[in-house]
Amino acid sequence: MRYLKRHALRLALSLAIVVLFALNTVGVLDLAMVSRVENFAYDQRIRWTMPNTQDKRIVIVDIDEKSLQDLGHWPWGRDVLAGLMDQLFDHYKIDTLGFDVVFAEADNSSGLSALATLGQTTLRDNPGYQDALSKLKTSLDYDARFANSLKNRQVALGYYFRHQQGQVGSTGQLPPPLFAKGAFNPAAVGAVQADAFTANLTSLQTSALAGGFFNASPLVDADGVFRRVSLIQQHDGQLYETLALAVARLALRESQVKLNYADGQENYFALESMQLGPRRIPVDIDVGALIPYRGRAGSYPYVSATDVLKGKVPPAVLNGAIVLVGTTAPGLQDLRSAPVGEVYPGVEAHANLLAGILDGTIKERPAYTLGLELLLLVVSGLVLALVLPALSPLWSTAVGVSFMGAWLAANLYAWQQGNLVLPLAPLLLMMAAQYLFAMAYGFFIESRGKRQLSGLFGQYVPPELVGEMAKDPGAYSLAGESRELTVLFSDVRGFTTISEGLSPTELTDLMNQYLSPMTKVIHHHKGTIDKYMGDAIMAFWGAPVADKQHAEHAVQAALDMIADLKNLQAGFKARGWPPVLIGVGLSTGEMTVGNMGSSFRMAYTVMGDAVNLGARLEGLTRVYGVDIIVSEVTKNQASTFVYRELDRVRVKGKNLPVVIFEPICAIGHEDTSRDEELRLYDQALAAYRQQDWGTAQTALVTLQALCPAHELYPMYAQRVDYLQQNPPGADWDGAFTFKTK
C-alpha cells in the first residue's frame, strides 16, 4: 500500500495510457496512428514470411503491349477471343479459365449489323443477298462464336459491382447467385451491399459455367492498400461470389459452398468462414478474406496472349493449369497498391487469393481477437504500470524490451503456425508508451526530486544513498528528530607539527590526499559526512537513511580507514611528507539529528551526550596508544568484531564510568600470533581491577618486553606504580577519571 500511495500519480497516468488504447480497441476513440502502425506491421509480416517462389499451377494470359501491337487495340473481336479459348482448351489442355475482364457490349466489328440493316432495307427483296447473308451470319456473329466457345468448358467470366448508394443503370447479365434469397439469413452475413453492376452479355454469361466479380475497392484500407477482398457481396438480397472463388469452385469441381457460423447458428454477424468441400476459407465481419500474397509481382507465370494464339508458348507451361486472363498493357492494366509493392497487377491479386483458397493458407482474423487484444492491453498495461516505477532505467528498459519482444514472438508464431492475424501495433505501442512515460517521468519528475535531495543531502551522504532516498523523497527531511545513531570522530595526530614542516601548497595537497580516500571509505559503508574540521572528520551512521546495522558499518569503516591510511604512507614518504597517523573514536546512542545552525548558515548534524562521548574517545586514542576506541554500546551492537577492553573511564563532563574497547578485526580474521599478548593483557587487566598490583606488574613487564612499541602497557605500568603507593580504597570501581578532554 505504501508503494501504491507513493507512486499514485505515476500509476494514474500509466493507467490513463492503458485506458486510451483500450478505448481505441473498442471503437470509442479512433487513434489513426495505431491503424497506420498496424497496417505497417501487417505488411512487414507479409514480407518477412511470404514464400517468394513462383506458383506454376496458376498462369496469367496477359493482354500485354506485345499482344496489342499484333492484334490491335482492345477490345478485340470476339472471334479472336473464341480462337483464344479454343487454343487454350483444345491445344494446351488447360483445366480452368477465369476472365479478369468484362464483356458488357456487343461486338459489331464484323459488320454483320450493317449487312443485316441492308438486308432489311435496300436489299430486302434480293434473294441472292438474303441467301448469302444467311450463310454469313454464323461466321460473322462474333458474340455467338465466343459464346459457343465458352460452352461446356471450365470458364468463369468476370464482372464488377458498383457501390455508390442510389446508383442505377446496371448492364449485362449476372451469373446465378451463390446463395439466392431465402437460402441464408441476411442479418447473419455482413457482406458488402452492391447497388449496381456492369456484367457480361446475357448470351456470354449463360454460356459460361460461372461468373465472379473482380473489383475489391469496397474493402480497400484507408491508406489505399489492398490487403483483403470481398469473398461475397450482396445485391438485391442475393449473394454473389468473387472471381477467385468462382474459379476455385470450378477447378475443384465443387458446386456448393457452405456458410460456417461461430456457434453453428445464423446469429447476427456470426459468419466466420466459408466451406468449399474440405477447404475452410476464413472471413471477417465484412465477409472479406485476407489476400495471402506469395511475393512481389511475377509470383505466377505470365504468357502473352498473342503467343498463345500463335502456339509459341511451351505446352508444359499451360497443360493442366488454371488460367486467368488479364492485362498489363499501358492504359488497360488494373494496378493496385499492395503490401508487397506500391504497383501490383490486379489479376495477380486474384491469383494469390485463388492459390490461398486451393492451399488453405488464407490468414484468419477471428472476431475473438478484439477481446484478446483488450485483455492483453489491460493485463500487460497493469503489470507495466505497477512494475516500471520500482525499477532502474536499465531494468525498465530490459523489462519493456522483454514484454515487446515476447508479444512480437508470440504474434509471429501465431501468424506462421496458426495462420492467425493477431493485433500487433496496439500492444507494442501501448508498451512503448508505458516505457517512454516511465523514462520521462523518472527523468523529469523523480530525477528532479532526486536533484532536490542531492541538493539537500548530496554534500553529506554518498550518491547511492541519494538514489535510495529518491525512491521515497517524502520520507526524508532536514527537520530535527531523535534517533539512535553511531558517530565517528577522527583526527590527525601531531597535525600542528606536520603543518609547520610543509608549505601551504603542500599542506593543502596532503590534506586532499588524506581526506579523499577517508571520505570514500565512509561513503562506501553508508556513512554521512557531518563536517571536516581542519584535519578532523566527523561522520555518523543511521541518518538520513535508516540503517539497522549502523554500529557495524561504522566500526568496519574505522578499521578500513586505518588500513587505507597505511597504504597511503608509501606515497607520502615518496613525496617527502611525514607519516600521517590518526585516532578514531566511535560512540552509539540517542542523538538529535537535523539541520541546525543560524539564519546565516545551517548544517545537517548530530548533537547529544553520545556525540560528545565520541569526541572524547577519539582524544583517548593518544593516551592508550591505539588507533580506534569504541564505546561499550557500540561494541555490543557491532558484535561481529573481535574487541579488546581497554579501560573503564570517566571522561570529562560525565560522572558515570564508561567501558571502552579497541576493535581488532572482524570475527574469523584473528591473528593467532597475538594470542599470547592478548592473554597476558587480559590477565594484567583482571589483576589491576582486583588491586593485585604484583600480578598486574609482572604481566605488564612481560607485555612491554613482548611489545616494546605499544604505549598501552607502559601507561598501565605507571598507573600500577602510582596506585601501589596511593591505594584507591576498597570501594574503588576500577575506573580512571580524566580531568581533560
Side-chain angles (χ1 to χ4, degrees), residues 95-169:
D95 182 84
T96 305
L97 185 143
F99 277 99
D100 189 24
V101 292
V102 62
F103 307 107
E105 298 177 350
D107 182 1
N108 296 315
S109 62
S110 66
L112 179 60
S113 60
L115 294 175
T117 301
L118 285 173
Q120 294 171 3
T121 56
T122 305
L123 300 176
R124 180 178 56 187
D125 298 326
N126 188 326
Y129 182 82
Q130 293 295 332
D131 183 57
L133 180 60
S134 178
K135 292 178 180 180
L136 288 172
K137 275 186 177 180
T138 302
S139 59
L140 293 179
D141 189 347
Y142 291 168
D143 285 330
R145 286 179 61 181
F146 185 38
N148 286 331
S149 71
L150 297 175
K151 291 179 179 178
N152 302 316
R153 285 172 171 167
Q154 296 278 104
V155 179
L157 296 181
Y159 63 95
Y160 61 88
F161 280 122
R162 301 198 295 274
H163 304 89
Q164 296 178 1
Q165 192 171 7
Q167 195 173 59
V168 294

Side-chain angles (χ1 to χ4, degrees), residues 476-514:
Y476 305 94
S477 75
L478 296 174
E481 60 177 314
S482 179
R483 284 197 203 180
E484 183 186 76
L485 308 174
T486 298
V487 69
L488 174 149
F489 287 88
S490 75
D491 194 16
V492 176
R493 295 174 182 170
F495 180 71
T496 301
T497 303
I498 293 174
S499 62
E500 289 174 350
L502 297 174
S503 68
T505 301
E506 287 179 315
L507 182 61
T508 301
D509 197 8
L510 182 145
M511 291 311 301
N512 291 338
Q513 293 288 325
Y514 159 69

